[in-house]
Amino acid sequence: MARPRKPLLSRDRIVATAGALVDAEGLDAVSTRRLAAELGVSGPSLYNHFRNKDEILDAVADAVSAQVDLSMFDESDSRDWRAALHDWAVSYRAALTEHPHIVPVLAQGPGRRPAGLRVADAVFGAMVRAGWPPAQATYIGALMRYFITGSALGSFARGFVDDETAYDPADYPHLGRAHLLAEHRQQVDEGAFETGLRALIDGLGMQYTPPGAAGTDRPAPKRS
């Protein structure tokens, strides 16, 4: 009988395996030696597809960016810029919360990653079409990335232990129910994200002047 053939090594297999390792054990779990063992191949064979570990992690990060819905930024979509930003931010955060260990890589920016660049291009293009000056559209894209990646880096609710005795009212008179936060982690964290997101978009709306409206000239931002 012919011996069973080993599965062909491909970029997709490497990225999928590395992504599973990152999800399960964190960024430090990924090494070329560990990946080769998981894939059942020799270490040097990985270098036919990636030059180093950083390139592999970049590809894992880009695979997560590719999960983000960008349909709301299509020119044919009827949502205005406020609704589009909101719905995109919700989709982006959902992707990051599914893969929290890769967030530090994504937080560094898109670099040369194709899916990450498509995200940046879609947001910037939609804001410019809505009438935001290019500089302001850039600031909005940066602001949204700070807010979304920051919200996915950790859990506010998990930062409090579920031990009531840790919050002595003599020392912390306003934290009498803090020990319950971890039990309601999803509700607290999602509620905080939604509250902040709506406040952020409402604040942008106060600065927005629709195209063609009287007094559309905006002063240039002051430089420090």
Side-chain angles (χ1 to χ4, degrees):
M1 293 179 61
R3 283 193 279 178
R5 297 177 60 189
K6 291 183 179 179
L8 292 176
L9 190 62
S10 66
R11 286 180 64 91
D12 287 345
R13 278 193 69 214
I14 296 169
V15 171
T17 302
L21 275 177
V22 171
D23 286 345
E25 301 179 34
L27 294 171
D28 290 341
V30 178
S31 67
T32 53
R33 178 177 296 181
R34 176 76 184 277
L35 276 176
E38 294 284 336
L39 290 161
V41 299
S42 63
S45 64
L46 297 177
Y47 298 117
N48 294 324
H49 301 276
F50 295 97
R51 288 182 297 180
N52 50 46
K53 170 184 171 177
D54 287 342
E55 279 197 358
I56 295 171
L57 291 178
D58 256 3
V60 172
D62 214 38
V64 173
S65 292
Q67 298 173 18
V68 180
D69 182 14
L70 298 176
S71 63
M72 65 288 294
F73 296 130
D74 291 343
E75 293 190 47
S76 59
D77 194 280
S78 62
R79 282 169 279 194
D80 71 0
W81 67 268
R82 297 170 182 81
L85 271 185
H86 176 276
D87 295 348
W88 165 70
V90 170
S91 174
Y92 195 0
R93 181 177 180 271
L96 298 191
T97 54
E98 286 291 314
H99 308 282
H101 292 146
I102 200 66
V103 173
V105 179
L106 285 164
Q108 297 171 12
R112 296 177 179 271
R113 299 191 292 268
L117 289 170
R118 282 192 290 272
V119 171
D121 181 74
V123 176
F124 179 80
M127 294 305 101
V128 171
R129 285 198 309 274
W132 287 97
Q136 289 295 106
T138 299
Y139 302 155
I140 291 170
L143 171 63
M144 297 300 290
R145 181 160 64 84
Y146 300 155
F147 176 69
I148 297 165
T149 57
S151 74
L153 279 171
S155 165
F156 176 82
R158 279 184 178 162
F160 293 86
V161 299
D162 61 359
D163 179 3
E164 187 174 4
T165 64
Y167 309 103
D168 188 328
D171 295 321
Y172 315 109
H174 307 295
L175 296 182
R177 297 176 61 82
H179 63 287
L180 301 175
L181 287 173
E183 181 182 345
H184 302 284
R185 181 193 63 80
Q186 184 173 355
Q187 178 184 352
V188 172
D189 291 344
E190 289 184 357
F193 177 77
E194 184 66 26
T195 299
L197 178 59
R198 291 192 178 278
L200 189 157
I201 293 174
D202 287 348
L204 289 174
M206 294 173 66
Q207 302 178 41
Y208 176 69
T209 302
T216 54
D217 291 337
R218 298 183 179 91
K222 293 182 179 180
R223 299 193 180 198
S224 55

